[in-house]
Amino acid sequence: MATHKSAIKAHRRDEKRRLRNRAHRSRLRTQLKRLRQAIAAGDGETARRLLPPTCALIDRTAKLGVIHDNAAARTKSRLARAVNRLAS
């Protein structure tokens, strides 16, 4: 355990950040799972409806630094391709 005052404060701050990041990541994963289930089921209407809020959530999560910017772009691209493939 940390003994210096600054290390104790850093530990406290890191713990808060960890919990916050965990909540954001969990929310993102749930939304991704919902969209991927719609794609897997072949439900194009639901997938098209879920895509914009999912992309917005991905962008927000990347902006907060929970996921990398390139990972966010890659995920959005793959989801958009899957939804478009479903439409055709």
Side-chain angles (χ1 to χ4, degrees):
M1 185 62 201
T3 54
H4 290 289
K5 194 173 182 182
S6 61
I8 292 169
K9 180 179 179 180
H11 178 71
R12 198 169 55 232
R13 187 178 56 223
D14 291 343
E15 186 66 18
K16 286 179 188 171
R17 283 184 186 165
R18 184 182 69 82
L19 293 173
R20 196 177 303 130
N21 287 345
R22 191 173 173 188
H24 285 297
R25 191 182 307 271
S26 174
R27 188 166 163 221
L28 175 65
R29 285 178 176 162
T30 303
Q31 185 71 16
L32 288 172
K33 186 166 66 173
R34 213 175 283 151
L35 178 55
R36 287 182 178 137
Q37 283 174 345
I39 292 168
D43 189 358
E45 181 58 38
T46 304
R48 268 192 299 281
R49 186 175 48 80
L50 286 175
L51 186 61
T54 303
C55 286
L57 186 61
I58 292 170
D59 285 335
R60 213 171 315 129
T61 308
K63 182 181 175 187
L64 293 168
V66 178
I67 60 172
H68 196 275
D69 291 342
N70 288 351
R74 183 176 62 245
T75 305
K76 289 190 328 185
S77 174
R78 287 176 180 171
L79 290 173
R81 273 196 346 225
V83 170
N84 289 337
R85 221 178 291 126
L86 205 58
S88 62

